[in-house]
Amino acid sequence: METGSPDTAGGTRGERHGEPVWTGLPRDLLRMRRLLLVVWLVPLTVGTGLLLGLLCGPAWAAFALLPLALLLWGWPMLGRNWASWRYAERADDLLISRGVLWREETIVPYGRMQLVEVTSGPVARHFGLASVQLHTAAAATDALIPGLEPAEAERLRDRLTELGEARSAGL
C-alpha cells in the first residue's frame, strides 16, 4: 500500500495529483489478531477433544475438529481483513476504507469532527498499537482506525483536531 509524506506533489498530506494517498495498517495488528485467534481456539480444541473423549467416547472427540477448522479458516480471513483497511488524509476530509466482500468507505469532513480519541487496551499496548476513534455530530459517521503505532495515532489525533478546529471556526 502506498503511504503519503507530509509534502506530496498535491501540496497537502494525503493527496497526489487529486488522488488520495492511502496508508495501510501496521503488520503488528495482524500479528496480534492472529495470536488472539490461536490463544482462544487452540485451548478450545484441546479442551473439547479431551472433555468429549473422556465423557462421551473417542468418536465424539471428533467434534474438537470444529474449533480447529475455525482456526484454519480464520487465519487467512484475518489477513484479508487486515489488508482491506486503509485511510487517506485529504485537504478537507479523512477517508477510511475497509471490507473484503462488502467494501465500506467512510468520509469524515474535518469540520464535522467533535472529538478525536486515541485508545489502547492492554493487549494492544503489549503489541505497541493504538486506535483512533473519530466522533462526529451524526453517530452514523463515527469512525475508527484500529491498530496504529502510538506515535502515528497521536500525530493523526493532533492533525485531525487542528484541522477540525480550523474548519469548524469557519462555520
Side-chain angles (χ1 to χ4, degrees):
M1 290 193 188
E2 208 172 72
T3 59
S5 64
D7 299 309
T8 58
T12 61
R13 180 182 173 89
E15 288 187 52
R16 183 177 296 145
H17 305 293
E19 292 294 319
V21 177
W22 295 99
T23 304
L25 300 181
R27 194 154 191 85
D28 286 342
L29 178 65
L30 178 60
R31 282 187 34 236
M32 180 188 77
R33 288 180 174 176
R34 283 181 169 168
L35 179 65
L36 288 173
L37 183 73
V38 169
V39 164
W40 282 102
L41 291 180
V42 167
L44 183 63
T45 300
V46 171
T48 302
L50 287 175
L51 198 63
L52 289 175
L54 292 173
L55 296 177
C56 302
W60 287 92
F63 279 104
L65 295 176
L66 292 175
L68 184 60
L70 186 60
L71 173 71
L72 295 174
W73 174 80
W75 191 272
M77 290 301 109
L78 285 173
R80 290 181 65 192
N81 179 270
W82 168 79
S84 75
W85 277 86
R86 58 192 187 153
Y87 66 96
E89 299 171 60
R90 298 193 308 182
D92 297 318
D93 50 32
L94 177 74
L95 302 176
I96 302 171
S97 179
R98 65 194 167 281
V100 177
L101 293 176
W102 286 272
R103 299 285 301 157
E104 185 175 331
E105 192 165 291
T106 304
I107 301 171
V108 184
Y110 296 134
R112 300 290 178 142
M113 289 184 207
Q114 292 185 332
L115 176 66
V116 182
E117 292 180 301
V118 174
T119 59
S120 185
V123 176
R125 274 195 312 273
H126 176 75
F127 281 86
L129 299 172
S131 296
V132 175
Q133 176 78 43
L134 309 165
H135 299 278
T136 63
T141 57
D142 285 1
L144 173 75
I145 304 174
L148 296 174
E149 295 170 354
E152 172 64 6
E154 291 171 9
R155 182 205 65 80
L156 190 58
R157 177 201 58 210
D158 294 344
R159 177 168 164 72
L160 295 176
T161 302
E162 176 184 314
L163 289 168
E165 288 173 353
R167 298 297 192 281
S168 66
L171 293 178

